PDB file of all heavy atoms in Angstrom:
ATOM      1  N   ALA Y  68      34.021  94.936-221.695  1.00 92.00           N
ATOM      2  CA  ALA Y  68      35.256  94.782-220.935  1.00 92.00           C
ATOM      3  C   ALA Y  68      35.353  95.764-219.787  1.00 92.00           C
ATOM      4  O   ALA Y  68      35.729  95.454-218.694  1.00 92.00           O
ATOM      5  CB  ALA Y  68      36.474  94.874-221.850  1.00 92.00           C
ATOM      6  N   VAL Y  69      34.899  97.016-220.077  1.00 92.00           N
ATOM      7  CA  VAL Y  69      34.915  98.043-219.030  1.00 92.00           C
ATOM      8  C   VAL Y  69      33.958  97.676-217.911  1.00 92.00           C
ATOM      9  O   VAL Y  69      34.265  97.837-216.716  1.00 92.00           O
ATOM     10  CB  VAL Y  69      34.528  99.424-219.649  1.00 92.00           C
ATOM     11  CG1 VAL Y  69      34.302 100.462-218.566  1.00 92.00           C
ATOM     12  CG2 VAL Y  69      35.610  99.906-220.635  1.00 92.00           C
ATOM     13  N   LEU Y  70      32.774  97.207-218.282  1.00 94.00           N
ATOM     14  CA  LEU Y  70      31.810  96.753-217.257  1.00 94.00           C
ATOM     15  C   LEU Y  70      32.364  95.597-216.447  1.00 94.00           C
ATOM     16  O   LEU Y  70      32.234  95.554-215.222  1.00 94.00           O
ATOM     17  CB  LEU Y  70      30.496  96.372-217.917  1.00 94.00           C
ATOM     18  CG  LEU Y  70      29.705  97.514-218.612  1.00 94.00           C
ATOM     19  CD1 LEU Y  70      28.537  96.920-219.348  1.00 94.00           C
ATOM     20  CD2 LEU Y  70      29.255  98.544-217.632  1.00 94.00           C
ATOM     21  N   LEU Y  71      32.985  94.644-217.158  1.00 94.00           N
ATOM     22  CA  LEU Y  71      33.433  93.436-216.507  1.00 94.00           C
ATOM     23  C   LEU Y  71      34.551  93.648-215.520  1.00 94.00           C
ATOM     24  O   LEU Y  71      34.567  93.031-214.431  1.00 94.00           O
ATOM     25  CB  LEU Y  71      33.880  92.424-217.564  1.00 94.00           C
ATOM     26  CG  LEU Y  71      34.267  91.020-217.073  1.00 94.00           C
ATOM     27  CD1 LEU Y  71      33.144  90.402-216.269  1.00 94.00           C
ATOM     28  CD2 LEU Y  71      34.682  90.131-218.256  1.00 94.00           C
ATOM     29  N   ILE Y  72      35.461  94.571-215.793  1.00 92.00           N
ATOM     30  CA  ILE Y  72      36.538  94.831-214.872  1.00 92.00           C
ATOM     31  C   ILE Y  72      36.036  95.321-213.528  1.00 92.00           C
ATOM     32  O   ILE Y  72      36.607  95.043-212.460  1.00 92.00           O
ATOM     33  CB  ILE Y  72      37.584  95.805-215.483  1.00 92.00           C
ATOM     34  CG1 ILE Y  72      38.879  95.782-214.751  1.00 92.00           C
ATOM     35  CG2 ILE Y  72      37.036  97.236-215.483  1.00 92.00           C
ATOM     36  CD1 ILE Y  72      39.679  94.491-215.022  1.00 92.00           C
ATOM     37  N   ASN Y  73      34.919  96.066-213.552  1.00 91.00           N
ATOM     38  CA  ASN Y  73      34.316  96.549-212.311  1.00 91.00           C
ATOM     39  C   ASN Y  73      33.502  95.413-211.631  1.00 91.00           C
ATOM     40  O   ASN Y  73      33.507  95.285-210.402  1.00 91.00           O
ATOM     41  CB  ASN Y  73      33.406  97.726-212.574  1.00 91.00           C
ATOM     42  CG  ASN Y  73      34.170  99.001-212.928  1.00 91.00           C
ATOM     43  OD1 ASN Y  73      34.659  99.700-212.089  1.00 91.00           O
ATOM     44  ND2 ASN Y  73      34.296  99.231-214.247  1.00 91.00           N
ATOM     45  N   ASP Y  74      32.830  94.640-212.466  1.00 94.00           N
ATOM     46  CA  ASP Y  74      32.001  93.510-211.930  1.00 94.00           C
ATOM     47  C   ASP Y  74      32.860  92.521-211.179  1.00 94.00           C
ATOM     48  O   ASP Y  74      32.413  91.929-210.187  1.00 94.00           O
ATOM     49  CB  ASP Y  74      31.231  92.832-213.032  1.00 94.00           C
ATOM     50  CG  ASP Y  74      30.227  93.775-213.743  1.00 94.00           C
ATOM     51  OD1 ASP Y  74      29.971  94.846-213.163  1.00 94.00           O
ATOM     52  OD2 ASP Y  74      29.808  93.467-214.847  1.00 94.00           O
ATOM     53  N   LEU Y  75      34.051  92.211-211.677  1.00 95.00           N
ATOM     54  CA  LEU Y  75      34.916  91.240-211.037  1.00 95.00           C
ATOM     55  C   LEU Y  75      35.282  91.675-209.618  1.00 95.00           C
ATOM     56  O   LEU Y  75      35.384  90.832-208.696  1.00 95.00           O
ATOM     57  CB  LEU Y  75      36.180  91.042-211.855  1.00 95.00           C
ATOM     58  CG  LEU Y  75      35.999  90.338-213.218  1.00 95.00           C
ATOM     59  CD1 LEU Y  75      37.327  90.287-213.963  1.00 95.00           C
ATOM     60  CD2 LEU Y  75      35.432  88.923-213.010  1.00 95.00           C
ATOM     61  N   LEU Y  76      35.468  92.966-209.433  1.00 94.00           N
ATOM     62  CA  LEU Y  76      35.781  93.435-208.049  1.00 94.00           C
ATOM     63  C   LEU Y  76      34.613  93.204-207.139  1.00 94.00           C
ATOM     64  O   LEU Y  76      34.774  92.882-205.942  1.00 94.00           O
ATOM     65  CB  LEU Y  76      36.085  94.954-208.124  1.00 94.00           C
ATOM     66  CG  LEU Y  76      37.439  95.316-208.700  1.00 94.00           C
ATOM     67  CD1 LEU Y  76      37.552  96.854-208.784  1.00 94.00           C
ATOM     68  CD2 LEU Y  76      38.560  94.780-207.845  1.00 94.00           C
ATOM     69  N   ALA Y  77      33.367  93.353-207.611  1.00 94.00           N
ATOM     70  CA  ALA Y  77      32.170  93.090-206.786  1.00 94.00           C
ATOM     71  C   ALA Y  77      32.141  91.625-206.384  1.00 94.00           C
ATOM     72  O   ALA Y  77      31.813  91.319-205.219  1.00 94.00           O
ATOM     73  CB  ALA Y  77      30.934  93.504-207.548  1.00 94.00           C
ATOM     74  N   THR Y  78      32.425  90.722-207.314  1.00 96.00           N
ATOM     75  CA  THR Y  78      32.423  89.290-207.016  1.00 96.00           C
ATOM     76  C   THR Y  78      33.461  88.959-205.937  1.00 96.00           C
ATOM     77  O   THR Y  78      33.172  88.239-204.980  1.00 96.00           O
ATOM     78  CB  THR Y  78      32.730  88.493-208.285  1.00 96.00           C
ATOM     79  OG1 THR Y  78      31.722  88.784-209.281  1.00 96.00           O
ATOM     80  CG2 THR Y  78      32.714  87.004-207.995  1.00 96.00           C
ATOM     81  N   TYR Y  79      34.648  89.497-206.102  1.00 96.00           N
ATOM     82  CA  TYR Y  79      35.733  89.240-205.152  1.00 96.00           C
ATOM     83  C   TYR Y  79      35.365  89.780-203.766  1.00 96.00           C
ATOM     84  O   TYR Y  79      35.578  89.085-202.750  1.00 96.00           O
ATOM     85  CB  TYR Y  79      37.001  89.925-205.705  1.00 96.00           C
ATOM     86  CG  TYR Y  79      38.227  89.775-204.851  1.00 96.00           C
ATOM     87  CD1 TYR Y  79      38.559  88.581-204.232  1.00 96.00           C
ATOM     88  CD2 TYR Y  79      39.100  90.825-204.724  1.00 96.00           C
ATOM     89  CE1 TYR Y  79      39.712  88.453-203.479  1.00 96.00           C
ATOM     90  CE2 TYR Y  79      40.285  90.734-203.979  1.00 96.00           C
ATOM     91  CZ  TYR Y  79      40.566  89.542-203.369  1.00 96.00           C
ATOM     92  OH  TYR Y  79      41.723  89.424-202.612  1.00 96.00           O
ATOM     93  N   PHE Y  80      34.824  90.991-203.724  1.00 96.00           N
ATOM     94  CA  PHE Y  80      34.444  91.591-202.445  1.00 96.00           C
ATOM     95  C   PHE Y  80      33.399  90.780-201.729  1.00 96.00           C
ATOM     96  O   PHE Y  80      33.513  90.474-200.520  1.00 96.00           O
ATOM     97  CB  PHE Y  80      33.923  93.035-202.681  1.00 96.00           C
ATOM     98  CG  PHE Y  80      33.543  93.753-201.441  1.00 96.00           C
ATOM     99  CD1 PHE Y  80      34.450  94.530-200.757  1.00 96.00           C
ATOM    100  CD2 PHE Y  80      32.238  93.707-200.933  1.00 96.00           C
ATOM    101  CE1 PHE Y  80      34.082  95.171-199.596  1.00 96.00           C
ATOM    102  CE2 PHE Y  80      31.867  94.317-199.795  1.00 96.00           C
ATOM    103  CZ  PHE Y  80      32.805  95.082-199.111  1.00 96.00           C
ATOM    104  N   VAL Y  81      32.343  90.406-202.438  1.00 95.00           N
ATOM    105  CA  VAL Y  81      31.228  89.664-201.779  1.00 95.00           C
ATOM    106  C   VAL Y  81      31.719  88.319-201.265  1.00 95.00           C
ATOM    107  O   VAL Y  81      31.480  87.974-200.100  1.00 95.00           O
ATOM    108  CB  VAL Y  81      30.092  89.453-202.794  1.00 95.00           C
ATOM    109  CG1 VAL Y  81      29.070  88.450-202.275  1.00 95.00           C
ATOM    110  CG2 VAL Y  81      29.398  90.780-203.083  1.00 95.00           C
ATOM    111  N   ALA Y  82      32.431  87.573-202.077  1.00 95.00           N
ATOM    112  CA  ALA Y  82      32.886  86.224-201.673  1.00 95.00           C
ATOM    113  C   ALA Y  82      33.782  86.338-200.461  1.00 95.00           C
ATOM    114  O   ALA Y  82      33.662  85.538-199.475  1.00 95.00           O
ATOM    115  CB  ALA Y  82      33.632  85.557-202.788  1.00 95.00           C
ATOM    116  N   TYR Y  83      34.695  87.313-200.442  1.00 96.00           N
ATOM    117  CA  TYR Y  83      35.650  87.411-199.359  1.00 96.00           C
ATOM    118  C   TYR Y  83      35.015  87.814-198.027  1.00 96.00           C
ATOM    119  O   TYR Y  83      35.206  87.173-196.993  1.00 96.00           O
ATOM    120  CB  TYR Y  83      36.751  88.384-199.745  1.00 96.00           C
ATOM    121  CG  TYR Y  83      37.960  88.423-198.834  1.00 96.00           C
ATOM    122  CD1 TYR Y  83      39.030  87.589-199.084  1.00 96.00           C
ATOM    123  CD2 TYR Y  83      38.010  89.268-197.715  1.00 96.00           C
ATOM    124  CE1 TYR Y  83      40.148  87.610-198.242  1.00 96.00           C
ATOM    125  CE2 TYR Y  83      39.119  89.273-196.891  1.00 96.00           C
ATOM    126  CZ  TYR Y  83      40.171  88.456-197.159  1.00 96.00           C
ATOM    127  OH  TYR Y  83      41.268  88.468-196.297  1.00 96.00           O
TER     128      TYR Y  83
END
Side-chain angles (χ1 to χ4, degrees):
V69 171
L70 295 174
L71 185 56
I72 198 72
N73 290 277
D74 297 344
L75 291 176
L76 287 175
T78 301
Y79 180 41
F80 180 90
V81 169
Y83 190 91

